[in-house]
Amino acid sequence: MVEIKRKGIIEEDQIYETLKRARSHDSSMVRDILAKGRALEGLDEQDIAVLTGVSDPNLLAEMFDAARNVKDLVYGNRLVLFAPLYISNLCGNECVYCAFRVRNTDVKRRALDQEEIADEVRHLVSQGHKRILLVAGEAYPREGFSYILRSIDTIYDSARGHGEIRRANVNIAPLTSGEFKLLREARIGTYQLFQETYHQETYRQVHVSGRKMDFDWRISAMDRAVEAGIDDVGIGVLFGLFDWRFEILALLQHIRHLERKHGIGPHTISVPRLEPAVGSDIASQPPHPVSDLDFRRIVAILRLAVPYTGIIMSTRESADMRRETFALGVSQISAGSRTNPGGYGAERPDEAQFSLGDHRSLDDVVRDVASLGYVPSFCTACYRLGRTGGDFMDLAKPGLIKTHCQPNAVATFQEFLLDYGSPRTREVGRETIARAMEEMDGGTRRKTERMLGRLREGRRDVYC
Ligand code: SAM
Ligand code: SF4
């Protein structure tokens, strides 16, 4: 009897075949692909495979230039800022790369109670944050999943002075369809989940016990989330576990699957690299290390392949690396982060998930970003005006998002400067805003001036 092979979301054989075929390419083929990328047409698997093999310095320079171009066209010069909020490091899984793995006795365990979460949020709000990414291990305190729901309520309710959290994104383990519905009702922004590696054999080796061992349960999480009504989802790979070339082709297969099945792709892609973690050997010695040059390649290729999807870079990267990759296509960054529950209120490095490459405060990161010519944005307008999922894609595709995003970026940056900026950051910020206004067309500039006027009158949370 002929065996009928079930078609999965990830077709490993096809990825290897595509990578093999792409080995024979010439410069004109690469330039054609770059032209397609520059035209915002997106790339297919074969195109991506060819770009992963580019090593000629001139062609590489052209590839980076094309990515910068696309980032500029779709996202302009703004960078959205957020902070992770680790509420618990309890976990029932044994992911060999993570300090929170269940058998690691070198880490102190802690699940914040609601008062402690409120405290952490007040710390973040008093720095100027407006967006939080809630993060937790896969084991909840006695109350179960409702712990997460209560924590989201606490985040939205913990205002301080002018500040409040306007968007709570969530990075937690895969849920059932019913739980995803509850998560949507809790008014989350994006549901984020990384597959870690799309390579099944590697997945099996690095997830030794616990629910996370189940590759299919994890990869199907986004389908359940979208079917439950969460139309903003974020995917990602933990780079360093397996060959990055394989991983970005697999990422594309996952994206095409979501587009085919639900008519929407992911809102964001995250590109974490393995960082040293207490009690993990593999975290300090990644089996497939990704060099800084390869990391830049990853960002550039993704920017060209899926021009309308946000790319998130975390504080795992050093300040220098972040500077270089902003230009290539990163659209969101975390700043002033701690990866241990309670870490904003107190230093507790022995409870952290991994070590950070960038230890600067939000004010320092904002000033740095602004002095590099980017407009730091705390905007949450799209999500609050219902411009999410398919609506967001429709707006983003013709580049229209810039006419909404640029005024909102400038207004939220101005709000940050007025309420939280240090004198040095205000000075740099004034120049950045003046430059951003000069670059706007007349209509957008007038709209932005009206928004800034309202902020000067003492109004807050001004957006369009
Ligand atoms: N526990 C949930 C899960 O695993 O999906 C969600 C939270 S987990 C703390 C968030 C992410 O941290 C993981 O998806 C993984 O990619 C990342 N992570 C774990 N160990 C890491 C390390 N050593 N370096 C960098 N990122 C790491
Ligand atoms: Fe737990 Fe997530 Fe860390 Fe795995 S990555 S040990 S599931 S917190």
Side-chain angles (χ1 to χ4, degrees), residues 3-14:
E3 197 195 329
I4 300 172
K5 211 170 157 203
R6 188 170 62 91
K7 251 187 111 55
I9 297 174
I10 306 302
E11 294 291 326
E12 292 195 358
D13 291 350
Q14 188 179 313

Side-chain angles (χ1 to χ4, degrees), residues 362-433:
L362 176 62
D363 186 72
D364 285 345
V365 174
V366 164
R367 189 171 60 254
D368 181 35
V369 164
S371 56
L372 288 167
Y374 295 93
V375 180
S377 171
F378 295 87
C379 176
T380 54
C382 278
Y383 147 75
R384 290 153 83 209
L385 291 171
R387 292 195 297 251
T388 58
D391 290 345
F392 174 81
M393 291 294 164
D394 290 345
L395 270 173
K397 285 194 174 160
L400 265 180
I401 206 84
K402 266 169 87 171
T403 58
H404 289 286
C405 295
Q406 201 64 354
N408 285 332
V410 167
T412 54
F413 181 32
Q414 177 68 23
E415 190 179 337
F416 172 87
L417 294 173
L418 289 171
D419 293 342
Y420 310 99
S422 64
R424 275 169 70 206
T425 305
R426 282 188 191 175
E427 209 178 298
V428 175
R430 254 195 305 275
E431 287 164 25
T432 309
I433 290 181

Side-chain angles (χ1 to χ4, degrees), residues 86 97-98 100 135-138 171-173 193-194 196 212 218 238 273-275 277 283 316 353-354:
Y86 281 68
Y97 47 81
C98 179
F100 296 169
V135 186
E138 187 168 7
N171 183 325
I172 55 170
L193 184 74
F194 311 152
E196 320 295 13
K212 193 161 166 182
R218 196 167 180 90
L238 183 52
R273 280 196 285 186
L274 262 181
E275 291 294 340
R316 293 168 179 91
Q353 191 196 12
F354 48 80

Side-chain angles (χ1 to χ4, degrees), residues 44-108:
D44 62 26
E45 282 181 56
Q46 184 65 29
D47 300 332
I48 294 179
V50 169
L51 294 188
T52 63
V54 171
S55 54
D56 174 85
N58 290 331
L59 281 180
L60 261 186
E62 286 176 39
M63 180 168 100
F64 291 149
D65 188 57
R68 278 187 209 107
N69 236 273
V70 170
K71 147 93 186 182
D72 239 40
L73 272 172
V74 179
Y75 290 89
N77 61 351
R78 62 189 203 284
L79 264 178
V80 170
L81 292 158
F82 72 96
L85 174 60
Y86 281 68
I87 60 167
S88 160
N89 61 9
L90 311 184
C91 194
N93 293 314
E94 183 67 9
C95 311
V96 296
Y97 47 81
C98 179
F100 296 169
R101 67 189 171 81
V102 63
R103 288 188 219 141
N104 189 10
T105 49
D106 295 338
V107 154
K108 277 204 202 148

Side-chain angles (χ1 to χ4, degrees), residues 85 87 114 117-118 121 125 132-134 150-159 164-165 167-169:
L85 174 60
I87 60 167
Q114 297 306 316
I117 292 174
V121 173
V125 164
I132 275 183
L133 172 68
L134 178 154
R150 286 185 61 208
S151 305
I152 296 167
D153 281 346
T154 302
I155 289 172
Y156 281 130
D157 291 345
S158 305
E164 72 273 302
I165 294 303
R167 177 174 176 132
N169 298 333

